[in-house]
Amino acid sequence: MKGFLRIGDTAFELNDSALYSKALFYLDDEDIDHYIMAINALFKLGLYGDEEVYPEISIYVGKTDFNDVSSMVGMVIEMNDTHISRKKGDVADILGCEAFDKYKTKILEIENGEMHIEVSGQIIKDIDDWPRETEEFYMDVWLTIEYL
């Protein structure tokens, strides 16, 4: 297993197909000295409550201070604002209506063209409900590095 996602007490195995789960990098057209980064992780079919789901976590990290991906080991990104997270395109898609309340992303290591990433935080179970109900999540994955 190359990774997993745990939401509350429910665990999902990473779909480690390079078609779906990747750490994506591209150079900014206006600043070719710094990578822009995005993370996409799709997980295998599993039960969440009474529903069969394929969870997906997508995080748009955005412009980094790095022009060498190997220098990103140890990088930590924190997001504590639901509105900014949604605006920049972060997605916690479990039942189709979740959003991130907050999260912390850590780049742990890089080996053989893969990046070891850990993400922990809270998702909002239904962004339209009030008061909002959150649930803890934790993701630990090895993603193929792809340069666009």
Side-chain angles (χ1 to χ4, degrees), residues 25-121:
F25 296 91
Y26 59 96
L27 292 173
D28 186 339
D29 290 338
E30 297 173 12
D31 181 3
I32 61 170
D33 293 329
H34 297 94
Y35 274 110
I36 293 172
M37 178 181 180
I39 298 165
N40 192 62
L42 181 67
F43 296 85
K44 294 181 180 178
L45 181 66
L47 277 177
Y48 182 67
D50 296 339
E51 302 283 334
E52 283 191 324
V53 296
Y54 290 96
E56 181 176 7
I57 300 291
S58 295
I59 296 174
Y60 178 74
V61 174
K63 189 175 179 180
T64 69
D65 293 331
F66 302 96
N67 62 2
D68 176 18
V69 171
S70 64
S71 300
M72 293 181 182
V73 172
M75 183 173 81
V76 176
I77 304 114
E78 290 191 60
M79 175 57 63
N80 294 305
D81 188 313
T82 302
H83 298 292
I84 292 173
S85 176
R86 292 185 75 205
K87 187 174 182 175
K88 68 186 189 84
D90 293 341
V91 175
D93 187 1
I94 292 76
L95 295 172
C97 52
E98 298 80 15
F100 291 107
D101 183 39
K102 60 184 175 183
Y103 64 82
K104 181 187 284 189
T105 302
K106 298 178 187 175
I107 309 302
L108 301 176
E109 57 188 309
I110 295 173
E111 189 175 294
N112 299 321
E114 295 183 327
M115 183 174 275
H116 187 189
I117 301 169
E118 177 184 86
V119 184
S120 59

Side-chain angles (χ1 to χ4, degrees), residues 2 14-24 38-44 55-58 113-114 142-146 148:
K2 295 183 79 171
L14 179 69
N15 178 344
D16 58 3
S17 165
L19 292 173
Y20 304 114
S21 299
K22 305 176 190 182
L24 301 165
I39 298 165
N40 192 62
L42 181 67
F43 296 85
K44 294 181 180 178
E56 181 176 7
I57 300 291
S58 295
E114 295 183 327
W142 282 89
L143 300 178
T144 300
I145 295 171
E146 182 173 316
L148 303 175

